[in-house]
């Protein structure tokens, strides 16, 4: 009914994991959760029954998922006494496999009861797996979960087939799409402890920090920040020739991707409907978020009446918008993504990401570094990508690159944001950096590199905590200037006991007062006390001389030297303690 798991060691010494999927038609959706990560298939057909309807559906799914190799196992031969019958069944199977990836594959007759044929099955399995391609390690591990359980003394354990990178004990991971954080407490492959798990292996991951009831089949364990859930996919889709009818625009379908399943709305692009046997473009709008990568294979089924419709290849896992159905530019871009060269794939990855480091871009392109780096260098050399800094290139480089059109658009966006901020807040030096970063939705390293580039080119002015346009100047209105002049006169008249912050705000207004603070003309030393910068510097100089004379001073001694009240001196001394100028010891202070 559900998935089963096992493993064995072949004569060559190769260890292989086995995913046993249910054959019955009623459990075809459980079967789909098990075949996503396999390298080869054993298609098991009972000698006493021959090809069943579910056998045809299973083979169609395997073809759609583009499984490349396998063998046929004719089992239960102990139940067939007639050799002629066995020959007829085998002939029927060969005809059935014609035109599929299993045409010409080894066929072994076996009996699980008598063990006849088992040694030959193992030998053939060893042979076909010798030519299996090794799984790529692109540094982006993802483990689609197929089982979740708890073990006494260990806690939460998830299993799956590891893809696209290796996992290591002790690493922090996240579980998507929920975004739960956890730590890898331990790893096992075939019940053997591992420090590192490699792509293509069956892995059990002991997770610390999450409970069993928080995790489900279909979720994905990965490293933080490397994948993002999506609720929209662009796919190239093939509708099976024997589908019961056409696939119409806006049809409700079930999507099966790796170990997850969800309901989706299929939007047909470039044509009115897809007829049985046709291949075309679909944009899927998903009810639940999934984790997907360009090149992943998926299966679509009709929810009711249940049937397998066909299979697709994901060409864009993160389309940014709902496509117009008959837009020729959209269709051309999808063709490019489907058949694109490494250069075209890198350009598309950059188009999707916006400004990003070389390391992130290579990871997102889902290519090996040796193919991605030359493609990247070609794009930069031809001016199709802009480098925003002079950092060296390499697979782990933090150098930031961006498409020229996106760079222009980003600069325009920053200029427009700053201009609007200056118009809305004319008395502020500029927009706070955190505010600007939040509006642009950029990672901190990318944001800082962009600001540095624009500042170097003179397109912005950058302060410690704010950003402005280069020509922005704070200008008080005549009325505001009169109020400021009156306030400064009060500071001049009583430099060591000036108006409080509350009194300043009442006189000139909060915005004007904050502008005086931002400009450095006034310095707040506490929530109540503020001094002119020049007066504060003079007070600090006097306190410094007093400390040099006496070594230690009390609050009363400072008050007498400055001839002011305790409230101002206490706030000032606490400010000097905080800034590291003085150190308090009991009731006295000394120079730090």
């Amino acid at each position: 009914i559900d998935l089963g798991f096992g493993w064995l060691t072949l004569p060559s010494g190769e260890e292989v994991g086995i995913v046993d999927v249910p054959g019955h038609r009623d459990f075809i959706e459980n079967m789909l959760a098990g075949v996503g990560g396999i390298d080869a298939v054993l298609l098991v057909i009972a000698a006493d029954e021959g090809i069943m309807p579910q056998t045809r559906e299973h083979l169609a799914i395997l073809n759609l998922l583009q499984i490349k190799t396998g063998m046929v196992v004719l089992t239960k031969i102990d139940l067939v006494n007639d050799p002629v019958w066995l020959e007829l069944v085998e002939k029927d199977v060969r005809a059935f496999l014609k035109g599929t990836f299993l045409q010409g594959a080894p066929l072994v007759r076996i009996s699980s009861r008598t063990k006849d044929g088992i040694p030959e099955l193992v030998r053939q399995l060893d042979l076909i797996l010798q030519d299996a391609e090794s799984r790529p390690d692109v540094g982006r591990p993802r483990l689609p979960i197929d089982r979740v359980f708890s073990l006494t003394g260990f806690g939460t354990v998830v299993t799956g087939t590891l893809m696209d990178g290796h996992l290591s004990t002790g690493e922090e991971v996240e579980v998507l799409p929920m975004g739960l954080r956890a730590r890898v407490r331990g790893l096992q492959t075939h019940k053997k402890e591992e420090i590192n798990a490699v792509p293509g292996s069956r892995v059990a991951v002991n997770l610390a920090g999450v409970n069993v009831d928080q995790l489900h089949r279909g979720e994905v364990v990965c490293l933080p920040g490397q994948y993002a859930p999506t609720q929209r996919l662009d796919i190239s889709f093939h509708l099976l020739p024997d589908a019961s009818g056409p696939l119409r625009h806006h049809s409700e379908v079930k999507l099966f991707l790796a170990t997850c399943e969800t309901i989706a709305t299929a939007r047909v692009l470039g044509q009115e409907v897809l007829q049985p046997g046709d291949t075309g473009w679909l944009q899927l709008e998903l009810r639940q978020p999934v984790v997907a990568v360009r090149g992943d294979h998926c299966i679509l089924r009709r929810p009711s009446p249940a049937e397998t419709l066909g299979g697709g290849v994901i060409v864009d896992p993160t389309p940014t918008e709902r496509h117009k159905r008959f837009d020729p530019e959209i269709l051309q871009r999808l063709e490019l993504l489907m058949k694109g060269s490494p250069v075209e794939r890198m350009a598309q990855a950059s188009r999707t990401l916006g400004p990003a480091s070389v390391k992130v871009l290579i990871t997102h392109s889902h290519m090996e570094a040796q193919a991605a780096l030359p493609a990247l260098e070609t794009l930069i050399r031809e001016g199709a990508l802009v480098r925003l800094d002079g950092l060296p290139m390499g697979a782990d480089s933090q150098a930031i690159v961006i498409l020229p059109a996106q760079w222009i658009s980003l600069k325009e966006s920053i200029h427009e944001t700053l201009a609007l901020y200056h118009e809305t807040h004319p008395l502020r030096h500029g927009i706070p950096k955190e505010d600007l970063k939040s509006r642009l939705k950029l990672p901190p390293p990318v944001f800082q590199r962009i600001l540095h580039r624009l500042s170097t080119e003179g397109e912005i002015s950058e302060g410690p905590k704010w950003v402005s346009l280069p020509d922005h100047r704070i200008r008080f209105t005549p009325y505001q200037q009169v109020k400021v002049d009156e306030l400064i006169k009060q500071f001049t008249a009583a430099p060591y006991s000036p108006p409080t912050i509350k009194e300043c705000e009442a006189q000139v207004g909060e915005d004007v007062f904050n502008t005086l603070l931002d400009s450095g003309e006034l310095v707040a030393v506490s929530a109540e006390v503020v001094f002119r910068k020049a007066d504060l510097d003079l007070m600090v100089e006097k306190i410094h001389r007093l400390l040099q004379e006496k070594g230690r001073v009390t609050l009363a001694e400072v008050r007498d030297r400055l001839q002011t009240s305790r409230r101002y001196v206490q706030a000032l001394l606490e400010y000097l303690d905080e800034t590291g100028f003085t150190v308090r010891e009991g009731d006295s202070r000394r120079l730090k």
Side-chain angles (χ1 to χ4, degrees):
I1 292 176
D2 207 347
L3 303 178
F5 303 93
W7 71 92
L8 79 157
T9 302
L10 296 172
S12 64
E14 183 85 17
E15 277 197 344
V16 294
I18 298 171
V19 184
D20 178 27
V21 303
H24 198 282
R25 194 163 195 163
D26 289 347
F27 308 114
I28 199 81
E29 295 183 355
N30 280 348
M31 171 266 190
L32 285 165
V35 295
I38 65 174
D39 296 304
V41 61
L42 302 182
L43 185 66
V44 182
I45 299 172
D48 60 332
E49 294 179 323
I51 298 162
M52 302 293 284
Q54 60 264 31
T55 315
R56 299 182 185 279
E57 190 166 10
H58 279 228
L59 185 62
I61 288 168
L62 293 168
N63 267 318
L64 292 168
L65 292 174
Q66 296 185 17
I67 307 300
K68 294 181 179 177
T69 188
M71 57 188 293
V72 182
V73 182
L74 200 61
T75 190
K76 298 187 182 181
I77 59 171
D78 55 289
L79 298 181
V80 179
N81 296 320
D82 186 355
V84 176
W85 174 264
L86 281 178
E87 292 296 335
L88 288 172
V89 171
E90 186 170 328
K91 187 176 180 180
D92 191 28
V93 169
R94 289 292 185 195
F96 166 61
L97 298 176
K98 194 171 182 180
T100 75
F101 73 101
L102 288 177
Q103 179 177 332
L107 188 151
V108 181
R109 301 177 181 182
I110 71 156
S111 166
S112 299
R113 180 166 293 173
T114 67
K115 308 302 179 188
D116 287 349
I118 295 291
E120 177 62 12
L121 184 151
V122 173
R123 190 182 73 82
Q124 290 291 345
L125 184 58
D126 210 349
L127 288 173
I128 65 171
L129 288 177
Q130 286 177 9
D131 296 327
E133 297 178 1
S134 59
R135 295 296 182 95
D137 187 341
V138 295
R140 297 181 75 197
R142 52 179 172 138
L143 184 84
I145 296 173
D146 51 36
R147 279 192 303 171
V148 183
F149 55 93
S150 180
L151 283 177
T152 304
F154 291 90
T156 303
V157 178
V158 299
T159 69
T161 302
L162 186 59
M163 305 164 67
D164 297 339
H166 65 273
L167 278 179
S168 300
T169 302
E171 282 186 314
E172 183 184 12
V173 294
E174 66 177 340
V175 184
L176 297 177
M178 295 299 291
L180 300 172
R181 291 296 179 103
R183 182 178 57 81
V184 178
R185 181 184 287 164
L187 295 167
Q188 281 192 1
T189 296
H190 307 152
K191 290 195 174 181
K192 290 190 299 188
E193 297 287 339
E194 302 283 356
I195 300 299
N196 297 296
V198 298
S201 60
R202 288 287 309 168
V203 182
V205 186
N206 183 200
L207 293 175
V210 289
N211 298 324
V212 169
D213 56 6
Q214 293 178 284
L215 305 178
H216 306 89
R217 175 184 288 177
E219 295 175 332
V220 177
V221 178
C222 56
L223 298 184
Q226 289 200 334
Y227 293 93
T230 179
Q231 285 188 255
R232 184 179 286 138
L233 298 170
D234 290 343
I235 71 171
S236 171
F237 180 74
H238 177 69
L239 185 61
L240 288 172
D242 58 357
S244 61
L247 180 64
R248 303 188 184 280
H249 177 64
H250 227 259
S251 295
E252 188 175 89
V253 296
K254 268 189 178 181
L255 168 74
F256 294 84
L257 175 67
T259 61
C260 79
E261 68 173 272
T262 185
I263 298 294
T265 300
R267 305 183 64 247
V268 180
L269 305 179
Q271 50 193 313
E272 292 297 339
V273 297
L274 274 181
Q275 297 293 343
D278 282 355
T279 298
W281 300 111
L282 299 181
Q283 184 171 63
L284 301 179
E285 303 275 1
L286 311 182
R287 186 175 295 178
Q288 303 293 334
V290 301
V291 174
V293 170
R294 181 189 178 279
D296 282 352
H297 290 81
C298 61
I299 298 293
L300 297 187
R301 301 193 86 226
R302 200 187 303 279
S304 181
E307 72 166 314
T308 299
L309 294 170
V313 179
I314 295 170
V315 293
D316 189 351
T318 53
T320 55
E321 58 187 14
R322 207 171 190 230
H323 298 322
K324 295 178 181 177
R325 291 184 61 201
F326 297 96
D327 187 335
E329 289 188 8
I330 294 293
L331 300 176
Q332 184 180 10
R333 187 177 72 83
L334 292 174
E335 289 283 354
L336 184 67
L337 282 174
M338 188 68 182
K339 302 174 182 176
S341 65
V343 169
E344 292 161 338
R345 289 171 63 181
M346 288 301 294
Q348 178 57 33
S350 182
R351 189 175 294 111
T352 301
L353 287 173
S357 70
V358 169
K359 180 179 180 180
V360 169
L361 192 58
I362 290 175
T363 300
H364 192 83
S365 71
H366 206 62
M367 287 193 292
E368 300 279 1
Q370 51 265 42
L373 275 173
L376 197 56
E377 288 165 356
T378 298
L379 289 167
I380 293 171
R381 186 171 60 252
E382 294 176 354
L385 279 180
V386 177
R387 289 185 66 177
L388 298 185
D389 51 47
L391 294 180
M393 299 288 284
D396 293 324
S397 173
Q398 295 302 314
I400 306 299
V401 295
I402 187 174
L403 293 173
Q406 289 181 335
W407 179 227
I408 292 169
S409 176
L410 180 59
K411 288 196 289 185
E412 288 175 350
S413 176
I414 292 172
H415 278 250
E416 289 170 4
T417 301
L418 293 178
L420 180 61
Y421 190 87
H422 293 329
E423 184 180 341
T424 310
H425 307 284
L427 299 181
R428 298 184 187 175
H429 282 280
I431 186 170
K433 287 183 178 179
E434 283 300 315
D435 189 358
L436 181 60
K437 177 165 69 68
S438 177
R439 295 190 192 196
L440 297 175
K441 298 179 180 178
L442 293 172
V446 176
F447 176 72
Q448 290 298 338
R449 217 71 57 78
I450 287 170
L451 289 192
H452 180 73
R453 170 74 178 255
L454 293 176
S455 179
T456 302
E457 294 177 348
E459 297 201 36
I460 62 167
S461 293
E462 187 180 0
K465 295 183 179 180
W466 49 264
V467 180
S468 72
L469 292 174
D471 58 353
H472 175 65
R473 300 289 181 273
I474 294 174
R475 295 181 178 85
F476 296 130
T477 66
Y479 174 78
Q480 289 170 335
Q481 189 63 56
V482 168
K483 290 292 185 181
V484 169
D485 292 343
E486 290 174 354
L487 180 64
I488 297 302
K489 285 179 182 178
Q490 295 179 45
F491 276 85
T492 304
Y496 301 158
S497 51
T500 65
I501 288 177
K502 191 173 182 180
E503 290 168 341
C504 291
E505 289 179 341
Q507 181 160 339
V508 299
E510 187 177 345
D511 284 346
V512 172
F513 176 69
N514 285 332
T515 300
L516 295 173
L517 289 178
D518 289 343
S519 68
E521 187 170 353
L522 299 182
V523 179
V525 297
S526 74
E528 295 181 359
V529 177
V530 62
F531 296 106
R532 277 193 313 180
K533 177 67 167 59
D535 298 332
L536 176 62
D537 290 345
L538 189 56
M539 285 190 287
V540 172
E541 186 181 332
K542 289 183 177 182
I543 293 170
H544 187 241
R545 285 203 298 267
L546 184 61
L547 282 164
Q548 286 180 320
E549 292 169 12
K550 297 194 169 189
R552 296 174 182 275
V553 295
T554 63
L555 186 149
E557 289 173 320
V558 175
R559 181 196 61 201
D560 294 342
R561 175 63 64 96
L562 298 179
Q563 296 184 344
T564 185
S565 68
R566 179 184 179 87
R567 175 172 69 171
Y568 292 101
V569 172
Q570 183 168 341
L572 174 59
L573 290 177
E574 289 175 356
Y575 170 78
L576 294 180
D577 293 341
E578 289 175 8
T579 56
F581 185 77
T582 55
V583 176
R584 181 174 179 174
E585 295 177 343
D587 292 331
S588 64
R589 284 172 170 82
R590 63 174 175 81
L591 283 171
K592 186 172 184 180

